[in-house]
């Protein structure tokens, strides 16, 4: 049901975008919607991150799976059981940029005779990594639409990402020019990796069983965003100069549709991207912000060295033994109970 619901939802979004083009709601789709989506994204992400950051973390709760720092002659596992800020930074870096825990993921299978077999499973790690990195590169490359002049870093990323030339040289209008559509690898890798992650949920019965609409929907949305982008770039050859006029007008807060027409596919692309932006703060995609704030990952495990006292514990009024003896000394002496201080 959740799968069918998600298919219907993304199909409806494409239908809405096409209807918007047919009804000439271009200004709404290319100006009003992007501003609204960006505002929702920024405010929503900020709200959730601030809320998480203000959650108290009085104790050390890192998940550990290696030897903690102890006696000098016992070897410490600094990455899995970080005992200093440097070790935590190394652990966070490996986790966030290389998905280290996913790399160590194992697969469990039941074999004949009820035997259990554990095996290495690196596919999810590989495609997960490809998916996230290519997504980042695609988004960074898109920044060329929003800056004039285009920053050197974005140009360098674009240059590195398009080192393959695709297609045959085509004669230009004057018969001399050639146009070579450059293959942007990150876009194609993004589509391939997102498709792998989607098919994994379809094909592996255990994963299919636990998949919800909140898993299917964002994957389908991202697949469609990548597909529409690829169609625009290599098939319809959208007028990127017109797109840049539009995006610069948005970036400079003087929104205006360009005089030149832009392909309907652009409007589908933009409606899907805006939906992703609006959906983002309310969804599991917030792991982008959460991974930095996870106390099971970002805390030093120094519970053996430092006593962490819960700051909002109520003050405890102790009744010490000497106070007790002061209260009952005479009765204790009468009953023959030894006392530390004589009356
Ligand atoms: C979540 C954000 C976005 C994703 C994941 C995404 C994805 C893609 C992908 C995969 C392509 C295929 C070609 C390539 O790899 O560059 C593409 C092309 C394109 N996208 Fe996006 N896109 C996003 C946001 C946007 C936005 C905000 C705009 C508004 C200007 C836009 C406009 C375009 C255009 C005009 C193309 C064709 C580019 C060309 O011919 O070089 N995209 N997009």
């Amino acid at each position: 049901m959740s799968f069918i619901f998600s298919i219907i939802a993304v199909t409806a979004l494409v239908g809405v975008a096409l209807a918007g083009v047919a009804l000439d709601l271009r200004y709404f789709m290319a100006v009003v919607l992007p501003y609204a989506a960006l505002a929702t994204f920024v405010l929503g992400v900020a709200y959730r991150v601030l809320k998480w950051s203000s959650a108290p973390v009085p104790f050390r709760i890192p998940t550990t799976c290696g030897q903690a720092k102890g006696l000098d002659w016992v070897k410490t596992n600094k990455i899995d059981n970080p005992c200093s800020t440097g070790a935590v930074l190394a652990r966070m870096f490996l986790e966030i940029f290389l998905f280290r825990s996913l790399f160590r993921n194992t697969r469990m299978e039941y074999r004949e005779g009820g035997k259990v077999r554990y095996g290495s499973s690196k596919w999810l790690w590989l495609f997960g990594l490809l998916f996230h990195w290519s997504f980042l590169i695609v988004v960074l490359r898109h920044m060329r639409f929003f800056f004039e002049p285009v920053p050197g870093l974005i140009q360098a990323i674009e240059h590195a990402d398009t080192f393959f030339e695709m297609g045959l040289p085509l004669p230009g209008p004057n018969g001399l020019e050639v146009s070579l559509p450059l293959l942007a690898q990150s876009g194609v890798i993004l589509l391939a990796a997102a498709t792998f992650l989607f098919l994994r949920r379809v094909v592996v019965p255990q994963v299919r069983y636990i998949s919800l609409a909140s898993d299917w929907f964002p994957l389908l949305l991202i697949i469609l965003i990548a597909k529409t982008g690829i169609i625009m770039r290599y098939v319809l050859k959208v007028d990127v100069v017109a797109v840049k006029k539009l995006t610069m007008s948005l970036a400079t807060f003087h929104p205006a549709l360009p005089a030149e027409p832009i392909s309907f596919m652009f409007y589908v692309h933009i409606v899907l991207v805006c939906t992703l932006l609006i959906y983002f703060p309310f969804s599991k995609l917030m792991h982008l912000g959460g991974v930095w704030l996870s106390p099971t990952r970002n805390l030093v495990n120094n519970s053996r060295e430092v006593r962490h006292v819960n700051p909002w514990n109520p003050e405890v009024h102790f009744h010490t033994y000497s106070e007790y003896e002061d209260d009952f000394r005479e009765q204790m002496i009468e009953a023959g109970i030894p006392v530390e201080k004589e009356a």
Side-chain angles (χ1 to χ4, degrees):
M1 270 311 286
S2 62
F3 177 72
I4 295 171
F5 170 79
S6 305
I7 299 257
I8 294 175
V10 287
T11 314
L13 283 170
V14 175
V16 165
L18 293 176
V21 176
L23 298 171
D24 201 13
L25 297 173
R26 290 179 175 83
Y27 189 83
F28 177 79
M29 288 190 291
V31 174
V32 182
L33 186 60
Y35 278 139
L38 193 66
T40 314
F41 176 79
V42 172
L43 294 177
V45 170
Y47 173 76
R48 294 202 68 182
V49 166
L50 289 175
K51 198 156 180 243
W52 283 332
S53 330
S54 61
V57 186
F59 302 120
R60 300 286 145 152
I61 54 168
T63 44
T64 59
C65 58
Q67 177 61 48
K69 189 178 172 206
L71 298 167
D72 285 345
W73 46 269
V74 179
K75 196 163 174 263
T76 311
N77 189 331
K78 286 194 181 144
I79 301 286
D80 284 322
N81 208 327
C83 54
S84 65
T85 308
V88 165
L89 289 177
R91 183 189 204 200
M92 294 283 285
F93 176 84
L94 293 175
E95 188 60 42
I96 294 172
F97 295 101
L98 297 173
F99 300 0
R100 179 169 178 265
S101 58
L102 198 55
F103 185 76
R104 290 142 56 95
N105 168 42
T106 47
R107 190 162 39 104
M108 192 199 83
E109 282 173 358
Y110 282 110
R111 284 292 173 95
E112 268 175 45
K115 282 189 182 163
V116 172
R117 179 181 170 274
Y118 291 93
S120 153
S121 171
K122 299 279 180 270
W123 288 106
L124 182 58
W125 169 78
L126 179 68
F127 281 93
L129 204 63
L130 285 175
F131 171 78
H132 286 84
W133 274 107
S134 56
F135 198 113
L136 176 68
I137 293 170
V138 166
V139 171
L140 287 176
R141 258 196 306 105
H142 274 64
M143 290 304 123
R144 77 186 191 278
F145 289 120
F146 298 91
F147 290 97
E148 191 53 49
V150 179
L153 180 68
I154 307 294
Q155 285 185 28
I157 293 174
E158 170 110 41
H159 189 67
D161 195 26
T162 51
F163 68 83
F164 282 130
E165 289 185 348
M166 197 184 74
L168 291 172
L170 301 170
N174 55 10
L176 293 171
E177 285 175 28
V178 289
S179 91
L180 280 174
L182 296 176
L183 176 70
Q185 287 116 82
S186 57
V188 180
I189 295 174
L190 172 64
L191 179 58
T195 308
F196 172 89
L197 296 175
F198 175 77
L199 289 179
R200 168 181 165 264
R201 287 191 182 273
V202 175
V203 172
V204 182
Q206 291 92 333
V207 188
R208 188 171 61 227
Y209 183 71
I210 57 165
S211 293
L212 305 169
S214 56
D215 301 307
W216 300 115
F217 179 70
L219 268 177
L220 284 169
L221 197 58
I222 292 168
I223 288 175
L224 275 188
I225 291 174
K227 273 191 184 163
T228 49
I230 286 175
I231 294 173
M232 266 195 292
R233 184 176 172 112
Y234 305 110
V235 184
L236 301 177
K237 309 245 165 60
V238 72
D239 182 353
V240 280
V241 177
V243 171
K244 178 125 189 187
K245 277 188 193 166
L246 169 70
T247 47
M248 285 312 296
S249 79
L250 292 176
T252 53
F253 295 103
H254 292 98
L257 288 182
E260 308 84 350
I262 308 180
S263 164
F264 72 95
M265 196 56 80
F266 173 75
Y267 292 94
V268 178
H269 192 65
I270 214 72
V271 165
L272 295 175
V273 170
C274 290
T275 309
L276 187 68
L277 287 177
I278 294 170
Y279 176 71
F280 199 98
F282 307 98
S283 70
K284 69 170 193 177
L285 303 177
M286 272 307 296
H287 67 265
L288 172 69
V291 69
W292 304 90
L293 298 170
S294 170
T296 58
R297 298 281 143 173
N298 67 13
L299 290 176
V300 176
N301 185 24
N302 60 0
S303 302
R304 287 182 182 177
E305 289 168 71
V306 181
R307 181 160 182 258
H308 298 279
V309 180
N310 190 353
W312 66 88
N313 270 354
E315 209 179 312
V316 178
H317 297 287
F318 296 102
H319 194 222
T320 62
Y321 177 73
S322 59
E323 286 165 353
Y324 170 87
E325 207 183 273
D326 287 346
D327 291 346
F328 299 106
R329 186 165 295 107
E330 281 171 20
Q331 290 90 328
M332 289 169 77
I333 293 170
E334 266 176 38
I337 299 171
V339 287
E340 286 184 354
K341 275 195 257 165
E342 290 301 328

